[in-house]
Amino acid sequence: MLGSVVRKIPDELVEHYLGRSGFHCPDLRLTRLVAVATQKFLSDIASDSLQHCKARVAAPIKDNKSKQPKDKRLVLTMDDLSKALREHGVNLKHPEYFADSPSAGMAPSTREE
Amino acid sequence: MSGTGGGGSGSGSGSGSGSGSGDEFGRAVARAAVAQALEAAGFDCAHRSAVDAVVDVLLRYITHLGRSAAFHSNLAGRALANELDVIQALEEVGNDTDGFAGAAATGRCLVGSGVVRDLMAFVDSKDEVPFARPLPRFPVQRVQPQPSASPAAAAGREAGMRHVPEWLPAFPDSHTYVSTEVWVEPPATKDRVDKVEQVRQRRKAEKSLLSLQRRLAMAGVDGFRPAVAQDSAEKGKEIQAAGTKRNPFLEPALPPGEKDVSEVDMPPEKKKLSVLEAFAPAIQARTIREVDAGAGLDQNQRSIVPKERAPVHLKLGFEKKPLAAALNSRALDLREDPSFLKEEAKDDKKRRAGMILRASMENPQELPQL
């Protein structure tokens, strides 16, 4: 079952990050299992955000100015991603603009008062 | 899985390096995989910050799966994880908030879990959409993430440190902890040793000279005595053997003409040198023999029988105390002299004897009567 999947997540990457978290398995099938699970997770996120993006594009169709759902390119934005991730339990908040120095959002220890 | 990915991706819309801690290569690989998955999903393009956020979430997902699987296996008392551990971790994570079939039921076998069935369904559904084979760049990656965890670890592994595990960082250079011999020669202690040695030899020479002068004084005061001299305690001190040896200085005088003696040649002036020459064999004998010859005057006297008689200069005056003081003071002066320190012991003794004689010449009243 695992061999039929065209793996987009490379095995070495998964093994590296599993090793960093203390998960040592000499069995390759377990690694493939985790890789498949992450691939499924990734595809779920992608499809959900795609749905959000299409819904966003399809909404102001009465504007009749620029946005046409078929020609316009589908761009993954942070808004769509945050909405898709919220359903999976990840709270993603992206600030729209930065009004401060580049070290604004960093840890207080590194920030100058 | 509730993680605040906003903080990670809020560093900038650029490369998103604020979220990466050091594994940039893994992140780059994951970014490529995410981009490919997004393209497969139907996106034309994406914001870079959004891609970085997805990468971060994905890596956290993998890490969380690994951690929970390891936790479950450790809970069961195993070191290596099982597939059941992974499945249980997957169930714990929950692939979707909608849940999966059989999530509410407890006490069931994991083999027939809904997660696995969902995964199998996903696998089957994926085959329907054809997409390009991922680029074969990842077989090279296995070299890099492990050396990135332990940099330069293989450098010192062959040096005999095989008991050290490889994931530890490399040791510092061996010269920082290997104790080598110190090449610096401490001249201070050498000088001190030399000084101590010189002082010791000087003291020996002083003692022998003092005893000689004392004995000469005794011989001069008390007249001729037989060789067996056990009467006086002083003589007993000076003579090492129990008096069985015959002191040539204490024997009765030979009648004139019995023994042929050479003429005494009087050198013109240099009195110091004559006495110095008379004492030179003793000094040499003393230097050759490093044994404590403080009281061994007999041996010294027996060895020095000069072939020609040198004139003996008698000094008037009787004083016992300052002789040793004079010797000590002379020794101090010599010690302070830097040129004196560098010579050998033999020259030291000669010079010191000369200085003593010079002092005796200067103070004729202070020397004991010979």
Side-chain angles (χ1 to χ4, degrees):
Chain A
M1 180 262 291
L2 289 172
S4 61
V5 174
V6 180
R7 286 176 292 280
K8 280 217 276 299
I9 311 278
D11 286 338
E12 291 84 357
L13 178 74
V14 173
E15 276 209 32
H16 173 54
Y17 282 100
L18 283 181
R20 278 184 67 166
S21 60
F23 178 86
H24 175 61
C25 62
D27 200 357
L28 192 60
R29 297 173 299 169
L30 279 181
T31 316
R32 299 258 172 89
L33 181 64
V34 174
V36 167
T38 47
Q39 198 169 350
K40 179 175 181 302
F41 177 69
L42 182 60
S43 70
D44 285 347
I45 293 175
S47 59
D48 287 348
S49 55
L50 188 68
Q51 288 174 8
H52 283 284
C53 183
K54 281 184 180 166
R56 180 188 304 273
V57 171
I61 200 167
K62 302 145 190 163
D63 220 351
N64 212 9
K65 261 197 185 177
S66 56
K67 285 194 186 170
Q68 294 175 9
K70 297 286 183 348
D71 302 342
K72 207 57 186 172
R73 303 165 67 180
L74 294 166
V75 184
L76 171 69
T77 58
M78 288 297 293
D79 289 334
D80 300 333
L81 187 61
S82 67
K83 284 184 190 145
L85 282 177
R86 196 173 301 138
E87 295 170 7
H88 282 269
V90 179
N91 297 323
L92 181 63
K93 175 76 169 63
H94 180 72
E96 285 97 10
Y97 58 89
F98 296 100
D100 212 337
S101 59
S103 62
M106 293 170 64
S109 60
T110 58
R111 201 191 335 179
E112 297 177 2
E113 292 296 332
Chain B
M1 182 169 71
S2 64
T4 55
S9 58
S11 60
S13 63
S15 57
S17 60
S19 53
S21 59
D23 50 344
E24 291 301 326
F25 183 74
R27 282 187 181 269
V29 172
R31 205 176 297 141
V34 161
Q36 199 167 6
L38 287 177
E39 195 180 4
F43 276 100
D44 298 323
C45 50
H47 284 179
R48 196 170 299 180
S49 58
V51 172
D52 288 336
V54 174
V55 163
D56 197 34
V57 168
L58 197 74
L59 294 182
R60 279 176 200 254
Y61 183 80
I62 296 175
T63 307
H64 185 82
L65 273 186
R67 276 188 64 175
S68 51
F71 168 74
H72 285 306
S73 65
N74 289 338
L75 192 62
R78 281 178 275 111
L80 298 180
N82 216 356
E83 61 271 8
L84 297 175
D85 300 324
V86 177
I87 293 171
Q88 196 162 6
L90 281 172
E91 281 197 357
E92 188 178 333
V93 168
N95 281 344
D96 216 349
T97 50
D98 300 337
F100 45 88
T106 57
R108 51 170 174 74
C109 182
L110 270 181
V111 179
S113 72
V115 174
V116 182
R117 271 186 247 126
D118 284 346
L119 270 182
M120 291 174 64
F122 166 73
V123 165
D124 295 333
S125 68
K126 269 177 67 71
D127 278 339
E128 299 169 359
V129 181
F131 40 80
R133 179 72 182 85
L135 303 178
R137 56 185 173 264
F138 300 115
V140 194
Q141 183 197 352
R142 182 174 287 280
V143 181
Q144 296 201 3
Q146 282 153 12
S148 67
S150 63
R157 287 301 158 250
E158 300 85 2
M161 299 263 205
R162 290 198 193 85
H163 61 279
V164 182
E166 283 193 8
W167 46 268
L168 284 178
F171 272 91
D173 288 341
S174 62
H175 74 272
T176 56
Y177 57 83
V178 169
S179 62
T180 56
E181 294 182 4
V182 180
W183 171 238
V184 177
E185 297 180 357
T189 57
K190 209 178 173 189
D191 284 349
R192 208 180 307 137
V193 164
D194 288 351
K195 278 183 197 174
V196 166
E197 189 61 35
Q198 281 167 6
V199 165
R200 193 172 65 86
Q201 286 173 0
R202 244 175 259 136
R203 219 171 274 140
K204 263 196 262 171
E206 287 164 18
K207 214 192 304 181
S208 60
L209 271 177
L210 184 60
S211 57
L212 168 66
Q213 291 206 354
R214 209 182 291 147
R215 290 187 56 209
L216 288 178
M218 296 295 293
V221 167
D222 303 334
F224 295 109
R225 284 184 173 233
V228 184
Q230 286 176 337
D231 305 341
S232 68
E234 283 183 337
K235 289 248 174 83
K237 275 187 230 156
E238 291 159 4
I239 301 176
Q240 252 188 355
T244 54
K245 302 177 195 167
R246 299 170 68 82
N247 200 345
F249 284 96
L250 301 176
E251 282 184 0
L254 295 170
E258 185 176 324
K259 192 173 178 183
D260 293 329
V261 285
S262 60
E263 282 291 326
V264 179
D265 54 338
M266 296 286 295
E269 274 135 17
K270 300 185 178 177
K271 303 171 187 179
K272 311 177 206 172
L273 282 180
S274 64
V275 183
L276 184 60
E277 286 166 5
F279 280 178
I283 292 168
Q284 285 180 4
R286 213 175 295 115
T287 57
I288 287 169
R289 241 182 278 138
E290 287 292 338
V291 189
D292 189 4
L297 272 177
D298 291 335
Q299 304 159 5
N300 284 342
Q301 286 166 6
R302 227 180 283 119
S303 63
I304 44 164
V305 178
K307 295 295 183 278
E308 56 181 9
R309 288 175 25 182
V312 178
H313 295 264
L314 302 179
K315 307 288 182 286
L316 297 178
F318 182 81
E319 182 60 52
K320 279 207 173 106
K321 184 187 77 75
L323 181 62
L327 291 175
N328 282 335
S329 61
R330 287 302 149 218
L332 274 173
D333 291 340
L334 293 176
R335 207 180 299 135
E336 287 164 6
D337 189 7
S339 63
F340 177 69
L341 292 176
K342 291 172 188 160
E343 296 177 0
E344 297 175 2
K346 202 198 298 185
D347 296 339
D348 292 346
K349 287 204 168 37
K350 280 186 188 172
R351 287 207 178 196
R352 206 170 51 77
M355 300 287 281
I356 293 165
L357 291 162
R358 238 176 280 134
S360 65
M361 296 298 288
E362 289 166 5
N363 308 322
Q365 307 292 331
E366 298 178 355
L367 285 182
Q369 191 174 3
L370 294 179

